[in-house]
Amino acid sequence: MNVAVIKYNAGNVQSVLYALERLGATARLTDDWETIKSADKVIFPGQGEASTAMAYLKTRKLDQLIQELKQPFLGICLGLQLLCDYSEENDTPCLGIFPVQVKKFPPYDKVPHIGWNNLENLRSPLLEGLDELAYAYYVHSFYAEIHPEYTIATAHYMLDFSALLHRDNYYAMQAHPEKSSLVGEKILTNFLSL
Amino acid sequence: MLTKRIIPCLDIKDGRTVKGVNFVELRDAGDPVELGSIYALEGADELVFLDITATVEKRKTLVELVTKIAKTINIPFTVGGGISTVDDVKALLNAGADKISINSSAVKNPSIVNEMAREFGSQCIVVAIDTKSVDGVDLVHTHGGRRPTTFVTQRWAQEVCDRGAGEILLTSMDHDGVKSGFANGITSELSSMLSIPIIASGGAGSMSHFKDVFTVGKADAALAASIFHFKEIPIPELKSYLDREGVAVRL
């Protein structure tokens, strides 16, 4: 299994590579078009700020590449948010794979949303073998709204939001599978066997 | 529902885990990577690795150790001890740490909190505050709790929050190692005052102390060391106790 992890200015990419290696995949961090195009699976990790990340993707034309890919693709955390239409974080137009808006959490509770929270309303082969209310590890200040068709799991913190999204070959997860213990490993294993 | 986090802390000296009483007498408690893996399997929500001698001996936390931990462990972990520059943070995050914790260096140069938060995001910048009551005033201490400052804890906590800290790791020097319970008063005060999570540390001796720090102390997470290392309170038992007591935990 040959996995390309898209190299851009995202933080903590190493953990994603290590997690894939623990599952027996060969993971490579790359921004090379051909390497990404020919990979069996592509992972779009993320930790950082939306507008800076989008600007970086554009300078390398990685935005176009991501929109053209046909193999199973998994966006993680900021990776999920960048796959949406638009993020309120510094007023950033994003990649538009999911017709979903990314908004800032209201200030009713502590932000960022940090810690272990449930995955609810699971409906996807990507989540096979997981129990309803399985826990995943989140760290984020912005959330993706729920889409009636593309949201495949929800989570709740002050409000309900998209925990995972899926459209065609594109999957995305707000929590960090690489840090979500056995639950995260199960999701990554399912993704690798798509 | 967002759950309360249980965080074993591994104090590291020369690559081994140690735990002292009131930061002084050190006893050996094992290999940090091995211990960390066991805790992850047992249901720890996060891990903290603190190189407790780093500030005193002016030596950097070992990036190699962080690499080994990141390769092995599938839950988030924070690294602290002797971190003072943006480059230190970069090296540790690149090695696979999820968050870094700064303490003395923030007191010495508060704007470093802004710099680090701007460069890497607030979510990975934890500011550790060692507090001790001096004549009825909560004062920040540095250098492993040995050196008092003139900073009032509450004011300092608000300041680091404003400067972009993502979490506060609050250690009560009056409670640390004494096992008589967490400092619920000041923990609750800071948790109510600030918009970021508070990790309470120092004083865990029984399972009910954890319940108290989450309910009375309003902590978002609780950290402890020796009671986990010396198996006085097994994590699975602690979490099922908290669940029975109505505290939301990940089981």
Side-chain angles (χ1 to χ4, degrees):
Chain A
M1 176 66 57
N2 180 5
V3 184
V5 177
I6 297 181
K7 185 182 173 185
Y8 66 117
N9 59 342
N12 211 0
V13 175
Q14 206 56 50
S15 306
V16 176
L17 294 169
Y18 290 148
L20 292 166
E21 280 165 17
R22 284 197 294 270
L23 298 174
T26 310
R28 198 181 315 173
L29 184 66
T30 177
D31 58 1
D32 176 61
W33 271 56
E34 288 314 311
T35 311
I36 294 171
K37 272 189 159 168
S38 62
D40 299 316
K41 303 278 176 345
V42 177
I43 290 189
F44 184 39
Q47 195 183 84
E49 187 276 317
S51 68
T52 320
M54 274 308 297
Y56 188 90
L57 291 175
K58 281 182 182 162
T59 58
R60 307 289 166 106
K61 295 198 164 48
L62 290 168
D63 55 334
Q64 281 177 33
L65 174 66
I66 289 169
Q67 286 157 329
E68 282 172 19
L69 293 173
K70 299 289 176 237
Q71 66 272 64
F73 183 101
L74 178 65
I76 297 172
C77 193
L78 178 65
L80 172 144
Q81 300 184 1
L82 295 178
L83 290 174
C84 294
D85 263 349
Y86 169 82
S87 172
E88 278 186 3
E89 187 172 20
N90 288 316
D91 191 21
T92 307
C94 299
L95 294 162
I97 302 292
F98 303 114
V100 169
Q101 305 283 306
V102 175
K103 303 197 157 174
K104 187 162 176 56
F105 275 119
Y108 310 141
D109 206 336
K110 296 182 179 185
V111 177
H113 171 221
I114 297 185
W116 296 83
N117 202 335
N118 306 100
L119 299 173
E120 303 175 41
N121 304 305
L122 313 183
R123 52 175 194 94
S124 171
L126 184 69
L127 304 170
E128 211 172 273
L130 294 184
D131 295 328
E132 183 73 16
L133 302 183
Y135 285 101
Y137 185 80
Y138 292 83
V139 183
H140 60 128
S141 300
F142 292 78
Y143 67 93
E145 289 191 311
I146 290 175
H147 188 279
E149 195 181 338
Y150 303 133
T151 297
I152 54 169
T154 64
H156 184 85
Y157 185 63
M158 292 186 264
L159 42 79
D160 291 325
F161 62 91
S162 286
L164 286 108
L165 288 156
H166 169 219
R167 181 183 187 181
D168 304 326
N169 56 317
Y170 297 95
Y171 294 82
M173 177 165 180
Q174 181 61 64
H176 288 271
E178 75 278 13
K179 289 291 163 183
S180 293
S181 191
L182 301 178
V183 168
E185 283 175 7
K186 184 69 191 159
I187 293 171
L188 288 175
T189 304
N190 288 346
F191 174 71
L192 294 176
S193 56
L194 281 173
Chain B
M1 189 193 290
L2 182 62
T3 54
K4 301 290 190 183
R5 289 170 276 157
I6 300 294
I7 307 178
C9 177
L10 293 88
D11 290 346
I12 311 288
K13 186 175 187 286
D14 304 326
R16 300 286 293 177
T17 313
V18 290
K19 176 62 191 174
V21 175
N22 286 331
F23 286 72
V24 190
E25 280 171 62
L26 304 175
R27 293 165 68 185
D28 191 53
D31 173 46
V33 181
E34 201 179 300
L35 257 174
S37 314
I38 294 169
Y39 288 140
L41 279 173
E42 285 182 345
D45 297 304
E46 263 179 69
L47 299 170
V48 170
F49 296 88
L50 280 185
D51 197 339
I52 55 167
T53 54
T55 305
V56 177
E57 297 174 3
K58 307 290 180 208
R59 110 183 113 66
K60 305 296 178 193
T61 307
L62 294 173
V63 170
E64 297 94 83
L65 178 63
V66 172
T67 305
K68 254 163 73 184
I69 295 162
K71 280 188 177 168
T72 316
I73 287 173
N74 60 8
I75 59 170
F77 69 94
T78 303
V79 179
I83 300 169
S84 57
T85 67
V86 165
D87 283 345
D88 292 343
V89 178
K90 189 176 273 175
L92 293 165
L93 294 180
N94 285 345
D98 297 281
K99 311 179 207 178
I100 61 87
S101 164
I102 51 171
N103 186 337
S104 305
S105 58
V107 172
K108 212 164 143 191
N109 174 19
S111 66
I112 197 73
V113 180
N114 306 61
E115 267 179 61
M116 289 173 178
R118 194 166 49 236
E119 183 79 17
F120 308 105
S122 292
Q123 81 289 337
C124 59
I125 308 300
V126 180
V127 175
I129 300 178
D130 293 339
T131 183
K132 191 176 186 176
S133 176
V134 178
D135 300 328
V137 182
D138 298 304
L139 289 184
V140 176
H141 284 59
T142 59
H143 297 79
R146 282 183 295 276
R147 198 178 292 178
T149 70
T150 53
F151 289 36
V152 174
T153 302
Q154 288 84 343
R155 215 174 297 154
W156 175 236
Q158 180 69 60
E159 181 177 339
V160 298
C161 178
D162 296 342
R163 287 178 179 276
E167 288 182 281
I168 285 174
L169 167 53
L170 180 71
T171 301
S172 165
M173 309 300 305
D174 302 307
H175 294 69
D176 193 68
V178 184
K179 298 189 176 182
S180 57
F182 291 91
N184 296 319
I186 187 159
T187 302
S188 158
E189 199 182 333
L190 295 193
S191 189
S192 307
M193 185 173 90
L194 303 177
S195 58
I196 57 174
I198 307 294
I199 304 164
S201 157
S206 73
M207 297 203 288
S208 66
H209 292 156
F210 285 89
K211 178 190 153 192
D212 294 343
V213 80
F214 291 132
T215 53
V216 183
K218 301 193 179 89
D220 299 280
L223 177 144
S226 58
I227 52 151
F228 296 138
H229 305 332
F230 297 111
K231 301 186 175 26
E232 290 162 33
I233 300 179
I235 293 171
E237 210 172 293
L238 171 61
K239 290 184 107 176
S240 49
Y241 161 81
L242 290 169
D243 180 57
R244 283 197 306 276
E245 295 290 323
V247 176
V249 285
R250 175 180 68 111
L251 292 173

